Amino acid sequence: MASMRIGHGFDVHAFDESGDSVMLGGVQIPHDRRLIAHSDGDVLLHALSDALLGALADGDIGQHFPDTDPAWADADSRELLRQVAIRVTEAGYALANADITVLAETPKIGPHALRIRQTIATDLRAELGQISVKATTTEGLGFVGRAEGIAVHAVVLLEPLS
Ligand code: MG
């Protein structure tokens, strides 16, 4: 019998000098600086997608969706996540739960956490209670503390499809 699989994903994106919003977990959050990226810069969905691929021991999103490939150059990260979800199903697994921690000094994530969870649950065909999104600052320490960028950790547990 197949066993459960755990996966971890981590991603960082730097803030640009200016902008009007950041895309985080498929939700556009107003902010005075955007995140630098080839794609929509959704650092949360990148970390989550990498966690899912990690649980499958199936590489990472840079390998499956290279930004050097025009097909993925300006990709919607929700579409990447949905593609990864298909790989999870095809491998014979289903999401048990995901726990995501956003490290950011700004913008404030808390007011948007529910919408982010709903968006992820929709794309992974999961229940809201399977998706946790929480946020912390780093007390002014390091690149996150200096508000130079946002970092995200994601942990997922997959269970075999019955
Ligand atoms: Mg990324």
Side-chain angles (χ1 to χ4, degrees), residues 80-96:
L80 301 193
L81 178 62
R82 290 191 288 259
Q83 292 291 327
V84 168
I86 290 169
R87 298 186 80 88
V88 171
T89 306
E90 286 178 348
Y93 284 90
L95 179 74

Side-chain angles (χ1 to χ4, degrees), residues 76-110:
D76 175 349
S77 297
R78 289 187 66 184
E79 179 56 26
L80 301 193
L81 178 62
R82 290 191 288 259
Q83 292 291 327
V84 168
I86 290 169
R87 298 186 80 88
V88 171
T89 306
E90 286 178 348
Y93 284 90
L95 179 74
N97 72 301
D99 186 20
I100 300 157
T101 304
V102 180
L103 284 68
E105 206 67 29
T106 57
K108 288 279 169 255
I109 309 303

Side-chain angles (χ1 to χ4, degrees), residues 18-83:
S18 64
D20 58 14
S21 65
V22 296
M23 189 66 84
L24 216 52
V27 174
Q28 196 165 13
I29 298 174
H31 194 47
D32 58 4
R33 286 184 292 165
R34 67 183 197 94
L35 294 172
I36 301 170
H38 292 284
S39 65
D40 57 13
D42 197 325
V43 59
L44 191 158
L45 294 190
H46 295 175
L48 176 59
S49 297
D50 268 349
L52 291 164
L53 290 170
L56 298 176
D58 185 17
D60 59 40
I61 54 170
Q63 176 188 329
H64 291 289
F65 314 105
D67 55 26
T68 50
D69 180 342
W72 303 110
D74 293 307
D76 175 349
S77 297
R78 289 187 66 184
E79 179 56 26
L80 301 193
L81 178 62
R82 290 191 288 259
Q83 292 291 327

